[in-house]
Amino acid sequence: MLKRKMFRDIRKNLSQFITIFLMIMIGIMAYAGIKAYMGGMQETADKFYSENNLQDLNVMGLLNHDDLDNIKKIDNVKDAELKLSITATTDNDKTLLLNAIETNNISKFYVYEGEEFDNKSGVWLDYFYSQENNIKLGDTILVKYESMELHEKVRGLINVPDHLYDVRDESELYPDRKEFGFAYISINEITEDYIKSLAMKEAGIEEEKIFDMAMPNFNYKDYIPYNTVMVDVNNKDNITNVKETIEQKIENAKAIIKIEDTTSYIAYQGEIDEGKTYVGVFSGIFLFIAMLASLTTMTRIVKKERVQIGTLKALGFSNNRILFHYIGYGFWISVFASIAGLILGYYLIGNVFINLEMKFFEIPNGVPAMDNSSYLIAIIVTFIVGVITYITGRSILKENPAETLRTKIPSIKGNVLNITKKGFFKKLSFETIWNIRDILRNKMRTFMGLAGVVGCSTLIVCALGMLDSMNFFVKLQFEDLYNFDYKLNLKENLKEDELKVLYDKYGEYTSLSLGIEIKDSDGQKNANNILVTDAGNYLRFVDRKNNIIDKPSNDGVFVTYKLAETKGYKKGDKITWHIYGDSKYYTSKIIGFNKDPQNQNITMTRAYLESLGIEYKPDSLYTNLDLSNTKEVKNVETIQDIDNLKDGMRGMLSMMKTMLVMIITIAILLGGIIIYNLGILSYTEKQYQFSTLKVLGFEDKQIENIFIKQNNWVAIIASLFGLPMGFYLTDFLFKTAIEEHYDFGAFIKVRTYILSAIGTFIVSFLVSKFLARKIKKIDMVTSLKGNE
């Protein structure tokens, strides 16, 4: 009998139970989906790194086989491999990071198509690059580097675990895979003529005959300028010891970098860390809103059933049986909603988000991974709804059957309502006074409504505000800080006469980036970089408020704000550092701070660098000359157009938009459901009052206006709280979720606030308008007799 009653009551209150179902489902879906995509990214990476043997250390310098053998002899070194990496170009003026290797046991290829690596001719090409440039297996590509030209057949399309995220330099934030990719060849493909030319240049010999006479037993393979040794350590705990031993024993090792400090690893792991914040913020808000509204609804439904509860008690049903009957209402709805949320979270949000990430990072087989905490959250939500239903039902069951057979009259303090009879309130219209009194009678319902709509308004502002902030970042980075049209990345070790040729044609505005280690007061060493500027106004600096400031003076260094906050640096402090490959330490005074959105580093002038006795060898040159038709410049590795850098950033924004549209959609959907749910509750509770107003001669239109006005008040007041909270949430996410190499802050346009407020109000108005139509269909007899 009670089962039939449950189904009958659910059908009778179908709209309210549907809203409970949807709110719980959306809350669980948001949490489980974000968790699934974040967990999937981590599991995918761990599996890829493990199965393809990602190296633990990269040893940088001019290295040879003797260095390789000595590294292999170091305790706890499991394996090591040589690699030559150079920035080459293709026949269609694309850029390739060309890697020449002997073996592929470390950082092994994941082959999408084609053959495994061997020491024969051919090229193994970046899979993403090949897709963007329509290069297929078996095609032949031309790769050029200085005097060397290689015509190589594509033998494999690959991913490599230390190339998940490749950019040309720090000025690029988003990988441009149409213009830049990576490729691997056998070291045997490096031509003898090229190596010989390097050896002749090193020996200062211009004629080949003289070189052959001087070195009759020249073996070009002994002179290949390897610049990397990939090191596999047998245990993670031994990495630091191995690193320090290599520093001491391998003279040619100029820099030893842990894989965790490389751009590829940092970018991917940073994305996962961002997800940890998102899952705590976005899904936390979704769940909070859903739980508030669900609990309010279940409480109202059970209280509305007090007469039926009294009838069941009078018929002899035990308290426990009645209690478990009503707990079942919320329990089963929560169970089915949680199951639906888990499924949709995995397949909808989890799949969509991780597929977007897999388009950004070069990692295969990315799938969502359901986290156990998602099941736990579903159980907790179901349990809480059941507990609230239990508490509400138990309070009614304490009353005797005679009391429960009558509708309970609200307990209202007279002096609370008397406020509407005094002063300013006496001049208000009847509709306004009526709504104020109704709000005072039903504070909890009003509070729940405000909380729900505030949460939704906050999320909408946050999602739109993140787009505003990222667009502002593009302007700040590529228009305010970068005041050039083209950046020329220079080749290493250019001579003065070679530089002069470039200066005469393109100007003398240059910079130098130095890889350094900073030694803290406790002896800990941290990798970082120094930007040495001699670029005049082509590279500009801003303060915390994004105002242009002067470049550093010649007696110290600037430190970025975020790095200073992370390390606790203050103006006047001194930092101790050394350049990779040089054991000499320098101490520099911090003379100021600057903001850099995408690189937390140290900046100094050329004059200050040279005052330390360090030679200035620029690696970048900036110009505003029109190079749109220039494909290649002698002694320049790559030419970067500022517009292309902007386009790359906009590419990342387009990916973000998909995620944010989903968040906005869920927020609007949840907001609409909450407003509808609260409207239904409000309407149900006011049927008696509306019927009384009808008897007193009020027209349906007047009563509809009373009903709609209160919901509009809630939407407007909620927006006033939600808009600023949206700003603070956006700012919080940028400052905590985005990994430590970036320094973003919230920058939200007035238009965004207006759109969010209008959107919230329109949803509230439309839902209220829809519900107000029920007023015409009120059963006057049932409503007026209900309290007798």
Side-chain angles (χ1 to χ4, degrees):
M1 181 179 118
L2 291 180
K3 286 183 181 179
R4 288 197 299 273
K5 177 183 178 301
M6 179 188 293
F7 290 128
R8 186 174 62 250
D9 288 344
I10 289 176
R11 284 197 302 272
K12 183 180 177 182
N13 300 282
L14 186 60
S15 60
Q16 294 181 57
F17 281 108
I18 288 175
T19 57
I20 294 173
F21 178 89
L22 290 174
M23 285 185 289
I24 293 175
M25 182 192 76
I26 290 171
I28 297 294
M29 180 178 71
Y31 182 90
I34 297 175
K35 268 287 189 180
Y37 113 81
M38 185 182 68
M41 285 188 68
Q42 187 67 68
E43 288 190 12
T44 300
D46 291 344
K47 182 180 179 181
F48 189 43
Y49 290 157
S50 175
E51 291 182 353
N52 295 76
N53 196 24
L54 178 68
Q55 68 265 36
D56 298 300
L57 296 170
N58 282 325
V59 181
M60 317 297 291
L62 191 58
L63 303 155
N64 53 45
H65 281 90
D66 290 338
D67 296 319
L68 177 67
D69 293 337
N70 290 331
I71 289 173
K72 285 183 175 181
K73 293 175 184 178
I74 294 173
D75 290 342
N76 300 312
V77 171
K78 187 176 179 181
D79 197 4
E81 291 182 1
L82 283 164
K83 180 168 71 173
L84 168 62
S85 294
I86 54 178
T87 303
T89 57
T90 65
D91 52 353
N92 52 2
D93 297 307
K94 310 287 185 181
T95 305
L96 279 179
L97 181 61
L98 185 64
N99 302 275
I101 56 176
E102 298 176 312
T103 55
N104 188 226
N105 297 318
I106 299 176
S107 200
K108 294 189 291 186
F109 302 164
Y110 174 89
V111 182
Y112 273 100
E113 298 179 44
E115 309 169 35
E116 299 291 335
F117 175 79
D118 56 37
N119 259 322
K120 299 177 183 178
S121 63
V123 62
W124 283 260
L125 192 62
D126 174 356
Y127 174 77
F128 278 39
Y129 176 85
S130 71
Q131 297 300 298
E132 288 291 331
N133 290 279
N134 197 30
I135 299 173
K136 297 180 176 60
L137 201 66
D139 290 352
T140 298
I141 64 171
L142 171 63
V143 182
K144 300 178 290 184
Y145 181 75
E146 295 184 350
S147 62
M148 180 172 60
E149 290 191 359
L150 304 174
H151 295 267
E152 300 288 348
K153 180 181 178 181
V154 178
R155 294 184 55 198
L157 303 177
I158 60 173
N159 283 151
V160 184
D162 62 347
H163 290 278
L164 302 192
Y165 171 89
D166 272 341
V167 291
R168 275 179 281 203
D169 62 24
E170 71 281 353
S171 61
E172 285 189 346
L173 186 60
Y174 186 86
D176 183 358
R177 297 193 174 94
K178 189 171 184 64
E179 299 294 327
F180 179 74
F182 64 85
Y184 278 77
I185 59 173
S186 165
I187 196 66
N188 295 329
E189 294 301 286
I190 302 296
T191 63
E192 180 176 359
D193 288 343
Y194 170 67
I195 301 300
K196 194 173 190 179
S197 68
L198 293 181
M200 289 173 62
K201 186 176 181 180
E202 182 71 23
I205 300 174
E206 295 183 0
E207 293 187 22
E208 188 174 350
K209 290 182 180 179
I210 297 175
F211 181 81
D212 291 340
M213 292 173 60
M215 301 186 68
N217 298 319
F218 175 75
N219 181 1
Y220 84 96
K221 289 188 177 181
D222 294 334
Y223 290 84
I224 293 175
Y226 292 99
N227 50 22
T228 305
V229 173
M230 300 179 290
V231 181
D232 183 18
V233 180
N234 62 8
N235 190 296
K236 293 291 182 185
D237 296 335
N238 297 323
I239 291 176
T240 301
N241 289 335
V242 170
K243 178 178 181 292
E244 292 174 351
T245 305
I246 293 173
E247 288 175 344
Q248 296 167 6
K249 292 187 175 182
I250 309 301
E251 185 177 342
N252 290 330
K254 301 302 181 184
I256 301 100
I257 302 171
K258 294 181 180 179
I259 197 64
E260 291 85 355
D261 293 327
T262 59
T263 302
S264 174
Y265 191 96
I266 288 171
Y268 190 87
Q269 198 61 41
E271 196 72 12
I272 296 173
D273 293 339
E274 287 176 34
K276 292 177 181 178
T277 303
Y278 293 150
V279 77
V281 175
F282 283 123
S283 56
I285 293 174
F286 283 134
L287 281 171
F288 174 73
I289 296 170
M291 286 304 300
L292 276 181
S294 299
L295 297 179
T296 305
T297 306
M298 284 308 304
T299 301
R300 296 292 181 182
I301 288 174
V302 174
K303 285 185 176 180
K304 184 182 174 183
E305 290 275 305
R306 62 180 286 108
V307 175
Q308 288 88 332
I309 291 173
T311 303
L312 291 173
K313 288 182 71 174
L315 291 173
F317 284 87
S318 69
N319 285 352
N320 285 339
R321 191 172 179 189
I322 296 170
L323 199 55
F324 281 108
H325 165 68
Y326 282 100
I327 289 174
Y329 284 54
F331 175 79
W332 290 113
I333 293 292
S334 300
V335 167
F336 289 123
S338 296
I339 292 172
L342 290 171
I343 294 171
L344 289 176
Y346 181 89
Y347 287 104
L348 184 59
I349 296 180
N351 263 325
V352 169
F353 277 31
I354 204 165
N355 285 335
L356 287 171
E357 294 290 359
M358 295 305 103
K359 292 177 182 178
F360 187 69
F361 294 102
E362 298 206 30
I363 185 168
N365 304 324
V367 293
M370 189 63 78
D371 191 271
N372 288 334
S373 66
S374 298
Y375 300 111
L376 179 61
I377 289 294
I379 292 170
I380 291 173
V381 168
T382 303
F383 176 76
I384 291 174
V385 172
V387 167
I388 294 298
T389 310
Y390 168 82
I391 294 171
T392 305
R394 190 179 179 191
S395 65
I396 297 174
L397 287 168
K398 287 180 179 180
E399 302 174 15
N400 61 52
E403 292 174 330
T404 53
L405 284 170
R406 293 182 60 84
T407 302
K408 188 172 183 180
I409 299 173
S411 176
I412 304 294
K413 295 181 180 179
N415 60 348
V416 173
L417 297 182
N418 285 338
I419 190 175
T420 58
K421 301 178 182 178
K422 300 175 182 178
F424 165 77
F425 291 97
K426 290 194 299 182
K427 301 177 183 179
L428 299 175
S429 65
F430 170 79
E431 292 89 347
T432 302
I433 294 174
W434 191 93
N435 276 314
I436 292 173
R437 292 171 69 88
D438 185 67
I439 289 171
L440 294 174
R441 286 194 195 96
N442 299 279
K443 299 183 189 69
M444 184 54 67
R445 185 192 71 214
T446 305
F447 171 77
M448 294 297 185
L450 283 170
V453 181
V454 164
C456 296
S457 178
T458 298
L459 287 171
I460 293 171
V461 172
C462 179
L464 293 174
M466 289 180 77
L467 284 178
D468 281 349
S469 301
M470 293 300 289
N471 283 321
F472 175 75
F473 159 72
V474 173
K475 177 184 177 298
L476 176 66
Q477 186 72 65
F478 299 109
E479 294 180 20
D480 297 341
L481 298 182
Y482 292 169
N483 189 34
F484 56 85
D485 291 334
Y486 291 91
K487 176 182 178 182
L488 309 182
N489 296 302
L490 307 179
K491 292 181 178 178
E492 293 183 9
N493 301 318
L494 296 183
K495 296 179 180 178
E496 284 299 324
D497 58 332
E498 293 172 322
L499 284 172
K500 188 176 186 306
V501 172
L502 292 171
Y503 291 162
D504 290 343
K505 189 169 185 179
Y506 302 108
E508 299 185 22
Y509 300 101
T510 60
S511 70
L512 167 66
S513 183
L514 296 172
I516 66 167
E517 270 190 333
I518 301 174
K519 184 165 67 174
D520 295 339
S521 56
D522 58 1
Q524 293 292 320
K525 298 177 182 178
N526 299 289
N528 208 293
N529 64 82
I530 288 177
L531 173 68
V532 185
T533 179
D534 191 34
N537 196 43
Y538 282 79
L539 290 180
R540 298 189 291 207
F541 302 90
V542 295
D543 61 17
R544 197 48 129 178
K545 295 182 179 179
N546 305 313
N547 299 314
I548 302 292
I549 58 175
D550 292 333
K551 68 180 180 180
S553 56
N554 299 329
D555 57 350
V557 300
F558 271 7
V559 174
T560 55
Y561 286 103
K562 193 163 185 178
L563 178 62
E565 290 168 2
T566 303
K567 299 297 182 182
Y569 296 145
K570 297 180 179 61
K571 190 173 182 179
D573 288 353
K574 294 184 178 180
I575 55 174
T576 301
W577 54 276
H578 79 95
I579 303 170
Y580 279 124
D582 184 352
S583 60
K584 183 178 179 180
Y585 276 88
Y586 302 90
T587 299
S588 298
K589 181 181 178 181
I590 298 174
I591 58 173
F593 303 99
N594 68 293
K595 178 179 178 179
D596 191 322
Q598 61 173 325
N599 191 18
Q600 305 317 306
N601 63 355
I602 298 166
T603 302
M604 64 175 63
T605 62
R606 173 180 180 173
Y608 178 69
L609 179 79
E610 291 177 337
S611 73
L612 299 174
I614 304 172
E615 184 181 0
Y616 178 76
K617 296 180 178 180
D619 55 18
S620 301
L621 187 151
Y622 307 93
T623 183
N624 285 333
L625 293 177
D626 184 6
L627 300 179
S628 56
N629 297 318
T630 303
K631 301 300 182 182
E632 191 172 339
V633 174
K634 186 179 180 181
N635 292 319
V636 172
E637 286 194 342
T638 57
I639 303 171
Q640 290 179 283
D641 183 344
I642 193 69
D643 290 330
N644 289 337
L645 295 178
K646 289 181 185 177
D647 290 342
M649 184 63 195
R650 292 188 182 107
M652 188 179 78
L653 286 176
S654 66
M655 184 188 77
M656 280 187 62
K657 285 177 183 176
T658 304
M659 295 185 178
L660 296 177
V661 164
M662 183 172 289
I663 292 169
I664 293 169
T665 302
I666 294 175
I668 292 173
L669 181 62
L670 195 57
I673 292 170
I674 288 170
I675 292 170
Y676 179 80
N677 179 59
L678 292 168
I680 282 286
L681 289 176
S682 177
Y683 168 78
T684 303
E685 292 174 353
K686 295 172 185 173
Q687 283 190 63
Y688 177 77
Q689 292 96 317
F690 289 161
S691 298
T692 304
L693 291 174
K694 280 193 173 189
V695 170
L696 292 174
F698 283 79
E699 296 180 358
D700 289 343
K701 192 70 175 176
Q702 290 175 291
I703 300 172
E704 287 179 12
N705 289 337
I706 293 173
F707 176 71
I708 293 172
K709 181 179 285 188
Q710 185 178 139
N711 290 339
N712 288 344
W713 287 359
V714 170
I716 292 170
I717 295 171
S719 294
L720 294 176
F721 285 97
L723 298 182
M725 287 179 65
F727 173 86
Y728 289 115
L729 177 60
T730 306
D731 202 51
F732 170 79
L733 286 173
F734 275 125
K735 289 179 178 177
T736 58
I738 294 180
E739 56 103 358
E740 62 182 16
H741 285 267
Y742 301 111
D743 186 5
F744 297 167
F747 183 88
I748 304 177
K749 295 180 180 179
V750 174
R751 178 188 63 190
T752 296
Y753 292 118
I754 294 172
L755 288 174
S756 300
I758 291 175
T760 303
F761 181 81
I762 288 175
V763 171
S764 173
F765 179 78
L766 292 177
V767 171
S768 301
K769 195 75 175 174
F770 173 77
L771 290 171
R773 296 185 305 172
K774 292 177 174 286
I775 292 171
K776 298 177 182 178
K777 303 175 183 179
I778 290 176
D779 185 340
M780 301 287 289
V781 175
T782 303
S783 298
L784 291 172
K785 299 286 286 184
N787 281 346
E788 294 183 2

